[in-house]
C-alpha cells in the first residue's frame, strides 16, 4: 500500500475522532477520502488540514459549515499575503531602479 495514505478507521481510533466527522468533512469537500479494496483512506498531505479542522471543531465548537468558511477565508488571506509580499518586492525594485536606493 502507498505510504501517503492513512486508514480512516485507524486515524479515528488513535485520534479519538468520530468517523462521522470525517465523513461530513468529505461531504463538504474539505477533505478527500480514497477507497481501496473496501478500506477508506486519507491522504497524508491532508493531515495538517484535518488536524486543524478537528481542533476547530472540538476546541472551539465550530460546525462543519463554519470550518468550511474559516478554511476558505484563511486560503484567501494566504493568497492576499502572498500578493502583498510580491507587490512589496516590485516596489523595492521600482524604487531602486528609479531612485537608486530604497528608503524604509
Amino acid at each position: 500500500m502507498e505510504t501517503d495514505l492513512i486508514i480512516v478507521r485507524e486515524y479515528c481510533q488513535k485520534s479519538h475522532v468520530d468517523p462521522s466527522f470525517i465523513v461530513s468533512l468529505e461531504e463538504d469537500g474539505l477533505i478527500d477520502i480514497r477507497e481501496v479494496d473496501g478500506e477508506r483512506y486519507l491522504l497524508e498531505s491532508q493531515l495538517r488540514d484535518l488536524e486543524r479542522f478537528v481542533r476547530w471543531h472540538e476546541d472551539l465548537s465550530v460546525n462543519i459549515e463554519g470550518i468550511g468558511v474559516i478554511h476558505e477565508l484563511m486560503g484567501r488571506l494566504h493568497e492576499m499575503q502572498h500578493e502583498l509580499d510580491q507587490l512589496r518586492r516590485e516596489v523595492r525594485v521600482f524604487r531602486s531602479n528609479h531612485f537608486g536606493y530604497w528608503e524604509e
Side-chain angles (χ1 to χ4, degrees):
M1 178 76 346
E2 298 179 36
T3 59
D4 63 341
L5 297 176
I6 299 166
I7 299 172
V8 170
R9 177 179 37 80
E10 290 181 7
Y11 174 83
C12 290
Q13 288 172 348
K14 291 180 181 179
S15 301
H16 307 287
V17 172
D18 187 336
S20 66
F21 178 70
I22 304 291
V23 170
S24 295
L25 290 173
E26 180 190 24
E27 288 173 350
D28 274 30
L30 294 166
I31 61 170
D32 183 35
I33 302 289
R34 304 277 170 91
E35 189 165 329
V36 179
D37 297 330
E39 190 73 67
R40 297 175 59 112
Y41 295 89
L42 296 162
L43 298 173
E44 186 176 358
S45 61
Q46 299 181 106
L47 198 54
R48 182 174 168 203
D49 282 342
L50 176 58
E51 290 176 351
R52 185 179 304 137
F53 300 156
V54 169
R55 282 194 314 274
W56 292 344
H57 181 69
E58 292 180 356
D59 298 345
L60 302 174
S61 300
V62 178
N63 63 18
I64 299 296
E65 293 80 11
I67 289 170
V69 169
I70 294 168
H71 182 65
E72 182 178 337
L73 290 174
M74 287 184 70
R76 288 182 187 178
L77 183 61
H78 179 75
E79 289 173 11
M80 290 171 64
Q81 184 63 52
H82 178 74
E83 183 178 345
L84 180 60
D85 292 343
Q86 179 63 33
L87 290 171
R88 285 180 176 154
R89 284 189 293 277
E90 290 174 13
V91 166
R92 275 193 207 104
V93 169
F94 175 80
R95 285 194 172 196
S96 67
N97 288 341
H98 286 77
F99 301 110
Y101 62 93
W102 170 248
E103 293 182 26
E104 292 198 40

